[in-house]
Amino acid sequence: VQLVESGGGLVQPGGSLRLSCAVSGRALSRYGMAWFRQAPGKEREFVAAVRWSDGTTLYPDSEKGRLVISRDSAKNTVYLQMNSLKPEDTAVYYCAATDDGPFGSGNYDKGRYKSWGQGTQVTVSS
């Protein structure tokens, strides 16, 4: 599959942003989709994942609901709604796809993902 992210930008602390990932490819129902992010000097970290077939979602234990993943199968798009943004959310955000299964804890691992987008920069600053 091919992935193209959009929607990044500069936002003030406390603001909201919605990232989009346009997905092209075949047999998408077999795929798990995810968002990762990478801040300067840090490892790429898991943000959220969604199972394309039924919309089941996964989040890291540390996530408290500010970042919400969803997919629109009619538009072949995956979204990341980000609310109450903090300066520490500043990073390049990447969309990723994998057809390695089953969908579950393995989807936290960036090594599982075969396809990646080019990334979109999100900067949270006043």
Side-chain angles (χ1 to χ4, degrees), residues 43-91:
E43 292 286 322
R44 191 169 298 190
E45 66 174 354
F46 173 77
V47 174
V50 62
R51 183 163 57 193
W52 190 272
S53 60
D54 64 0
T56 298
T57 57
L58 284 174
Y59 297 96
D61 292 340
S62 59
E63 179 54 47
K64 296 183 185 284
R66 294 187 305 116
L67 308 183
V68 180
I69 191 171
S70 62
R71 60 86 178 100
D72 184 331
S73 55
K75 296 183 178 179
N76 275 15
T77 302
V78 179
Y79 300 102
L80 183 68
Q81 178 67 43
M82 302 190 293
N83 301 318
S84 302
L85 283 163
K86 306 173 183 179
E88 50 264 43
D89 293 315
T90 295

Side-chain angles (χ1 to χ4, degrees), residues 9-68:
L10 174 65
V11 62
Q12 292 188 342
S16 297
L17 208 58
R18 188 177 78 163
L19 306 183
S20 299
C21 174
V23 184
S24 58
R26 303 173 70 177
L28 295 180
S29 62
R30 295 167 23 210
Y31 278 78
M33 310 296 299
W35 287 96
F36 286 77
R37 66 185 181 186
Q38 188 166 18
K42 295 189 176 181
E43 292 286 322
R44 191 169 298 190
E45 66 174 354
F46 173 77
V47 174
V50 62
R51 183 163 57 193
W52 190 272
S53 60
D54 64 0
T56 298
T57 57
L58 284 174
Y59 297 96
D61 292 340
S62 59
E63 179 54 47
K64 296 183 185 284
R66 294 187 305 116
L67 308 183
V68 180

